[in-house]
Amino acid sequence: MELIPHLALVLAACVADGLFGDPVYKLHPIRLLGAWSLLWEKLLLAGGLNGHLGGIIHWALVVGAALLAWWALHRLLVLWHPWAAWAWDACIAYSLLCLRDLLAHGRRVLTSLGDLPEARRQVAMLVGRDTQRLDPGGVVRATIESLSENLTDGVLTPLWALCLFGLPGLILVKAVSSLDSMVGYRNERYCRFGWAAARSDDLVHWLPARLSVPLIALAAVLLRLHPRLAFSAARRWHRMLASPNSGWSEAACAGALRVRLIGPISYQGRGVNEAFMGDEDWPANLEGSHLDQALRLTLVCGLLALAFGLGLILCVHLLWPWMWNSRPW
């Protein structure tokens, strides 16, 4: 892909996401991928392939089908007109970016904080923990945690994959993340079958998770928050989460905002955590102002990530132009 069409693709997808948010339509790529994944999961498990081999086959069938479906239609549209193929790619890229929706979910929690039952209902759409007994501070903490974790998985990795590897990179990352959310669990059903999905998800987010720390620190500088605490908090508390990646951005956000996160958490009535992430003198009983800061921090991080991604495109084009000219798409 040439430089100008690729830059235009990235910008068009990001602008569309910023203006309209995630599009809702019946044939949304993530919806189709989910249905395809469930179909093959049922078939493979019914055939006794419930171990690592079955999971690897499932991974290959789902990810391979996602890439093949996009490529086949892309090639057909190229035969008609190159700009038709570009428009198809832009539509798919727009459908797979989600910064505006992430911010909108957080904003809905913020505006409903005066109505605690409604705030609990809104935050339940973001997190998997029990929310029925959360106080306002717990609602805010849970929302900030969701924003900071999804910053890596939902914003940085997909955007930078699109910038570096084109639409195939974005499709691969989103397919892997979707598979991890469906089968990447450490329970009896999925501990072996979901191994490939979980490990590939860890792999694709490994570098963006760590790059999120200086990005959050830079955003904290621009917002006059606490950039030094972002670095120190990431070093001290990134291991508090089970995921090898999510803890980096969450701890960095806790430091940048100078707040304590996590705290008491329960799933299905069973307590699983009591410890807080952050220094004891940082506030844990958070308010709407803290969530507003977190939303602004997430937005600035998204804009900085886009600027960084566009810089990556220019650098790769100037240093290794053969990478662009040799791409079959």
Side-chain angles (χ1 to χ4, degrees):
M1 183 180 288
E2 296 181 358
L3 174 62
I4 299 302
H6 186 51
L7 283 171
L9 174 71
V10 173
L11 288 172
C14 291
V15 169
D17 176 58
L19 291 176
F20 309 114
D22 190 29
V24 179
Y25 56 99
K26 190 173 183 179
L27 298 181
H28 192 287
I30 298 300
R31 181 178 294 184
L32 293 176
L33 186 142
W36 184 252
S37 172
L38 285 172
L39 171 64
W40 282 107
E41 178 187 338
K42 291 178 181 178
L43 291 174
L44 290 168
L45 293 181
L49 291 170
N50 60 348
H52 291 97
L53 178 59
I56 292 171
I57 294 172
H58 179 252
W59 188 98
L61 286 168
V62 175
V63 176
L67 289 168
L68 181 60
W70 160 77
W71 180 83
L73 189 50
H74 175 90
R75 296 309 301 171
L76 286 174
L77 290 172
V78 165
L79 296 176
W80 180 32
H81 196 285
W83 283 107
W86 182 91
W88 158 253
D89 289 355
C91 179
I92 296 298
Y94 158 50
S95 298
L96 296 178
L97 298 178
C98 63
L99 176 59
R100 173 160 180 156
D101 264 32
L102 179 63
L103 294 171
H105 281 301
R107 183 65 59 181
R108 282 195 287 269
V109 176
L110 177 60
T111 57
S112 64
L113 283 177
D115 181 353
L116 186 55
E118 176 62 16
R120 289 168 174 166
R121 190 183 72 82
Q122 291 293 339
V123 79
M125 299 180 185
L126 291 171
V127 299
R129 72 190 65 174
D130 297 339
T131 60
Q132 301 90 338
R133 298 183 179 179
L134 288 180
D135 60 15
V139 168
V140 173
R141 286 199 309 273
T143 307
I144 294 176
E145 289 162 31
S146 180
L147 290 171
S148 58
E149 288 184 37
N150 281 290
L151 177 63
T152 295
D153 297 356
V155 179
L156 303 186
T157 304
L159 177 58
W160 290 342
L162 175 63
C163 291
L164 272 179
F165 306 110
L167 192 53
L170 174 59
I171 293 172
L172 173 66
V173 163
K174 295 299 289 189
V176 166
S177 292
S178 297
L179 274 180
D180 179 61
S181 66
M182 296 180 73
V183 302
Y185 299 104
R186 296 179 180 178
N187 55 29
E188 185 177 352
R189 178 182 177 91
Y190 292 123
C191 65
R192 293 187 302 156
F193 185 83
W195 175 86
R199 296 291 76 78
S200 60
D201 185 75
D202 292 342
L203 179 63
V204 300
H205 296 302
W206 189 91
L207 183 58
R210 285 143 184 84
L211 291 177
S212 72
V213 178
L215 189 79
I216 291 166
L218 179 56
V221 170
L222 297 176
L223 293 172
R224 299 184 179 181
L225 296 174
H226 307 278
R228 293 184 180 180
L229 294 181
F231 283 109
S232 60
R235 287 195 303 270
R236 291 177 62 184
W237 292 296
H238 72 270
R239 293 188 180 90
M240 283 192 67
L241 300 188
S243 166
N245 297 321
S246 298
W248 289 95
S249 55
E250 183 168 329
C253 282
L257 297 167
R258 198 179 175 276
V259 298
R260 283 193 289 169
L261 299 178
I262 310 183
I265 295 176
S266 66
Y267 287 91
Q268 298 179 346
R270 183 173 63 89
V272 297
N273 184 80
E274 292 291 334
F276 282 92
M277 171 187 284
D279 277 337
E280 291 185 0
D281 61 337
W282 297 358
N285 189 22
L286 306 186
E287 302 174 350
S289 59
H290 297 106
L291 180 50
D292 183 63
Q293 284 185 330
L295 287 165
R296 288 190 285 116
L297 181 67
T298 304
L299 174 60
V300 173
C301 283
L303 295 174
L304 290 173
L306 174 59
F308 180 66
L310 295 176
L312 285 176
I313 294 175
L314 295 174
C315 288
V316 171
H317 178 78
L318 293 174
L319 297 176
W320 300 287
W322 59 268
M323 288 183 62
W324 302 93
N325 299 328
S326 63
R327 292 181 180 188
W329 52 86

Coordinates of all heavy atoms in Angstrom, one line a residue, residues 3 8 34 45 55 76 96 98 131 133 159 163 169 193 196 205 259 264 267 280 298 301-302 305 319 326:
L3 N 2.0 5.3 0.5 CA 1.9 6.1 1.7 C 0.6 6.9 1.9 O 0.0 6.9 2.9 CB 3.1 7.0 1.7 CG 3.2 8.1 2.8 CD1 3.2 7.4 4.2 CD2 4.4 9.0 2.6
A8 N -4.4 8.2 4.6 CA -5.8 8.6 4.5 C -6.7 7.6 5.1 O -7.7 8.0 5.8 CB -6.1 8.8 3.0
G34 N -17.7 -13.4 16.2 CA -18.2 -14.1 17.4 C -19.0 -15.3 17.1 O -18.9 -16.4 17.7
L45 N -15.6 -29.0 20.3 CA -15.8 -29.6 21.6 C -16.6 -30.9 21.5 O -16.4 -31.9 22.1 CB -16.4 -28.6 22.5 CG -15.6 -27.4 22.9 CD1 -16.3 -26.5 23.9 CD2 -14.3 -27.8 23.6
G55 N -7.9 -26.1 20.6 CA -7.8 -24.6 20.7 C -7.0 -24.0 19.6 O -7.3 -22.9 19.1
L76 N -11.6 -8.5 -4.9 CA -12.7 -8.3 -5.9 C -13.0 -6.9 -6.2 O -13.2 -6.5 -7.3 CB -14.0 -9.0 -5.3 CG -14.0 -10.6 -5.4 CD1 -15.3 -11.1 -4.7 CD2 -14.0 -11.1 -6.8
L96 N -13.6 -1.3 13.6 CA -12.8 -2.0 14.5 C -12.0 -1.1 15.5 O -11.3 -1.6 16.4 CB -11.8 -2.9 13.8 CG -12.3 -4.0 12.9 CD1 -11.3 -4.8 12.2 CD2 -13.2 -4.9 13.8
C98 N -12.4 1.9 18.6 CA -13.4 2.1 19.6 C -13.1 3.1 20.7 O -13.7 3.0 21.8 CB -13.7 0.7 20.3 SG -12.4 0.0 21.2
T131 N -21.4 -5.5 41.0 CA -21.5 -4.1 41.1 C -22.7 -3.6 42.0 O -22.8 -2.5 42.3 CB -21.7 -3.4 39.8 OG1 -22.9 -4.0 39.1 CG2 -20.5 -3.7 38.8
R133 N -23.3 -3.7 45.1 CA -23.1 -3.1 46.4 C -22.0 -2.0 46.4 O -21.5 -1.5 47.4 CB -22.7 -4.1 47.5 CG -23.8 -5.2 47.7 CD -23.4 -6.2 48.8 NE -24.5 -7.1 49.0 CZ -24.4 -8.1 49.9 NH1 -23.3 -8.3 50.7 NH2 -25.4 -9.0 50.1
L159 N -4.7 0.5 17.0 CA -4.4 1.7 16.2 C -2.9 1.5 15.7 O -2.7 1.7 14.5 CB -4.5 2.9 17.1 CG -4.0 4.2 16.4 CD1 -4.8 4.5 15.1 CD2 -4.1 5.4 17.4
C163 N -1.5 1.1 11.8 CA -0.5 2.0 11.3 C 0.7 1.3 10.7 O 1.2 1.6 9.7 CB 0.0 3.0 12.4 SG -1.3 4.2 12.9
G169 N -3.1 -6.2 9.9 CA -2.7 -6.1 11.3 C -3.8 -5.8 12.3 O -3.9 -6.4 13.3
F193 N -8.3 -25.4 26.1 CA -8.9 -25.1 24.8 C -8.6 -23.6 24.5 O -8.4 -23.2 23.3 CB -10.4 -25.3 24.8 CG -11.0 -25.1 23.4 CD1 -11.0 -26.1 22.4 CD2 -11.7 -23.9 23.2 CE1 -11.6 -25.8 21.2 CE2 -12.3 -23.7 21.9 CZ -12.3 -24.6 21.0
A196 N -4.3 -21.1 23.3 CA -3.8 -20.4 22.2 C -4.3 -19.0 22.1 O -3.6 -18.0 21.8 CB -4.1 -21.2 20.9
H205 N -0.3 -7.7 22.8 CA -0.4 -6.5 23.6 C 0.9 -6.3 24.4 O 0.9 -5.3 25.2 CB -1.6 -6.7 24.5 CG -2.9 -6.7 23.8 ND1 -3.4 -5.7 23.0 CD2 -3.9 -7.7 23.9 CE1 -4.6 -6.1 22.5 NE2 -4.9 -7.2 23.0
V259 N -4.4 8.5 42.4 CA -5.5 7.8 43.1 C -5.2 6.4 43.4 O -4.4 5.8 42.7 CB -6.8 8.0 42.3 CG1 -7.2 9.4 42.1 CG2 -6.7 7.2 41.0
P264 N -11.5 -3.5 47.3 CA -12.4 -4.7 47.5 C -13.1 -5.0 46.2 O -13.8 -4.2 45.6 CB -13.4 -4.3 48.6 CG -12.7 -3.1 49.3 CD -11.9 -2.4 48.3
Y267 N -16.6 -11.4 42.9 CA -17.3 -12.0 41.7 C -18.2 -13.1 42.1 O -17.9 -14.0 42.9 CB -16.2 -12.7 40.8 CG -15.4 -11.7 40.0 CD1 -14.2 -11.2 40.6 CD2 -15.7 -11.2 38.8 CE1 -13.4 -10.3 39.9 CE2 -14.9 -10.3 38.1 CZ -13.8 -9.9 38.6 OH -13.0 -8.9 38.0
E280 N -0.7 4.7 50.2 CA -1.8 4.8 51.2 C -2.3 6.3 51.4 O -3.5 6.5 51.8 CB -1.3 4.3 52.6 CG -1.0 2.8 52.6 CD -0.7 2.4 54.0 OE1 -0.6 3.2 54.9 OE2 -0.4 1.1 54.2
T298 N -7.6 9.7 29.1 CA -7.7 8.7 28.1 C -7.8 9.3 26.7 O -7.2 8.8 25.7 CB -9.0 7.8 28.4 OG1 -8.9 7.3 29.7 CG2 -9.2 6.7 27.4
C301 N -4.4 10.5 25.6 CA -3.6 9.4 25.3 C -4.0 8.9 23.9 O -3.1 8.5 23.1 CB -3.8 8.2 26.3 SG -2.9 8.5 27.8
G302 N -5.3 8.8 23.6 CA -5.7 8.4 22.2 C -5.2 9.3 21.1 O -4.7 8.8 20.1
A305 N -1.5 8.7 20.8 CA -1.2 7.4 20.1 C -1.4 7.6 18.6 O -0.7 7.0 17.8 CB -2.2 6.4 20.7
L319 N 12.3 4.8 5.7 CA 13.4 3.9 6.0 C 13.4 2.6 5.3 O 14.4 2.0 4.9 CB 13.5 3.7 7.5 CG 13.8 4.9 8.4 CD1 13.8 4.5 9.9 CD2 15.1 5.5 8.0
S326 N 5.9 -4.0 -1.5 CA 5.8 -5.4 -1.7 C 4.5 -6.0 -1.1 O 4.3 -7.2 -1.2 CB 7.0 -6.1 -1.0 OG 7.0 -5.9 0.4

